[in-house]
Amino acid sequence: MSALEKLITQAEQTHRLTREELITLLTDPQADTLLFAAADRVRKANVGDGVYLRGLIEFSNYCKNNCCYCGIRRDNSHAERYRLTPQEILQTARLAQTLGYKTVVLQSGEDPWFTADKMCEIIRQIKQLGLVITLSIGEKTREEYAAYRQAGAQRYLLRIETTDVNLYEKLDPGMRWHQRAKCLQDLKELGYEVGSGSLVGLPGQTAESLADDLLFFKQIPVDMAGIGPFIPHPQTPLKGESTAGHFTLSLKMMALMRLILPDINIPATTAMETLHPQGRIIALQSGANVVMPNVTDVRWRKRYALYPGKICLGEDAAQCRGCIEGKINAIGRHIAHAPGFHGEYLKTHKKSAR
């Protein structure tokens, strides 16, 4: 057994890797196949073969921030802005329920129009449908997070993007890394299932900082972690940057996440499929157990352009769901008809084994 095989086998059994070991596995191409296979085994043992679907509702592409990598950044004058009404958001949530989703993800730019009071009312109405609500609406005050939680939101996604403080503050002008980290701490303390994640392939990003990202997620610890490959948008300061190697590196980050956080939820992100035609399926075979099909009306999807080349822009919500279900079934997996809370599979599995 080679040194790499021993290292990966040890990680599969103990779910522990040092910073140096993470760097080794991120940078050695000979680790790829072994790593992906190990992550798939850990996924099967800890979250099963079911794939949890989350219905994504992109309800506003207005954003007060000016992140250098994001297509809906404030200074992108070419962006066609839109904002769904609360009634349209509720109508889309009803559609998700009709299509069998147990969870909806309400995602937007940081749009000041949606005050805490407005968001709480939207959350309360969607909650009446019996859906689990995940919010992905950026940095808010602890008081706002508490209000959303009281209104019925149970999960919150806030990607840290990178733990390299200097890189973060260079690429997110006007924002502070420690404030973002505090938001994650507030969310955890308020009882949310907390999701975070990294943007992989940013200019100036190092293997060392990626290893630090993974250790940061383990330290929190997160309940969900999404890895997105950096894809440059033509209307941002990072236009023209290369995407070479970003798909494989994102897969490695995702697989390592599965090894060190064996029972969390890990999505096969849509951006993976922008870089590879089978991106989400390969991700599901390398440790992922969640997919977020889009239920937003096709009129608006193309405008929520965080990055170019976004998939499924012309398919309606039913087509998106049917398409991904067919792909999931084709690899011997199945749709899990449950909300998919962190640790849910192991608890159910242990009870049924008694």
Side-chain angles (χ1 to χ4, degrees), residues 68-107:
C68 294
Y69 46 78
C70 183
I72 63 170
R73 66 195 305 263
R74 183 187 68 229
D75 286 357
N76 179 9
S77 59
H78 294 270
E80 296 180 78
R81 305 293 176 177
Y82 75 94
R83 179 186 289 133
L84 301 188
T85 66
Q87 293 74 23
E88 287 172 325
I89 297 170
L90 181 60
Q91 183 181 5
T92 308
R94 287 198 185 102
L95 173 61
Q97 181 195 39
T98 301
L99 292 172
Y101 290 99
K102 306 300 181 184
T103 298
V104 289
V105 181
L106 303 183
Q107 185 176 80

Side-chain angles (χ1 to χ4, degrees), residues 6-24:
K6 288 180 181 177
L7 177 57
I8 293 171
T9 299
Q10 176 185 318
E12 186 176 348
Q13 295 169 349
T14 66
H15 310 305
R16 287 195 293 269
L17 286 164
T18 67
R19 185 175 190 262
E20 291 70 27
E21 289 167 341
L22 287 167
I23 293 167
T24 295

Side-chain angles (χ1 to χ4, degrees), residues 183-344:
C183 286
L184 289 169
Q185 181 182 352
D186 287 342
L187 290 163
K188 196 73 176 177
E189 291 173 357
L190 289 166
Y192 282 92
E193 278 207 348
V194 175
S196 193
S198 299
L199 194 54
V200 175
L202 289 167
Q205 193 175 50
T206 64
E208 288 77 11
S209 74
L210 289 172
D212 289 338
D213 292 355
L214 292 165
L215 295 173
F216 175 78
F217 301 140
K218 189 172 178 70
Q219 180 185 4
I220 290 177
V222 295
D223 301 288
M224 195 198 91
I227 298 299
F230 164 63
I231 303 172
H233 191 286
Q235 301 300 330
T236 67
L238 300 185
K239 63 182 178 181
E241 293 285 345
S242 173
T243 60
H246 293 187
F247 176 72
T248 299
L249 187 56
S250 296
L251 276 181
K252 292 176 83 165
M253 279 286 287
M254 192 195 71
L256 287 166
M257 192 113 61
R258 177 59 72 198
L259 291 187
I260 65 173
L261 289 163
D263 65 345
I264 69 168
N265 287 312
I266 300 178
T269 57
T270 306
M272 293 275 203
E273 205 147 306
T274 296
L275 294 184
H276 191 290
Q278 296 298 317
R280 287 183 295 177
I281 295 305
I282 294 171
L284 287 172
Q285 295 172 316
S286 306
N289 71 313
V290 171
V291 177
M292 298 185 183
N294 206 324
V295 293
T296 313
D297 191 285
V298 292
R299 289 176 295 170
W300 314 119
R301 283 189 207 177
K302 67 179 180 179
R303 299 191 188 187
Y304 201 84
L306 305 182
Y307 55 86
K310 189 176 175 183
I311 65 170
C312 302
L313 293 181
E315 296 180 349
D316 66 26
Q319 289 173 316
C320 275
R321 193 195 186 288
C323 175
I324 195 61
E325 183 166 5
K327 291 180 178 181
I328 288 167
N329 292 339
I331 59 171
R333 302 274 287 278
H334 62 273
I335 302 299
H337 299 287
F341 288 107
H342 182 189
E344 181 179 289

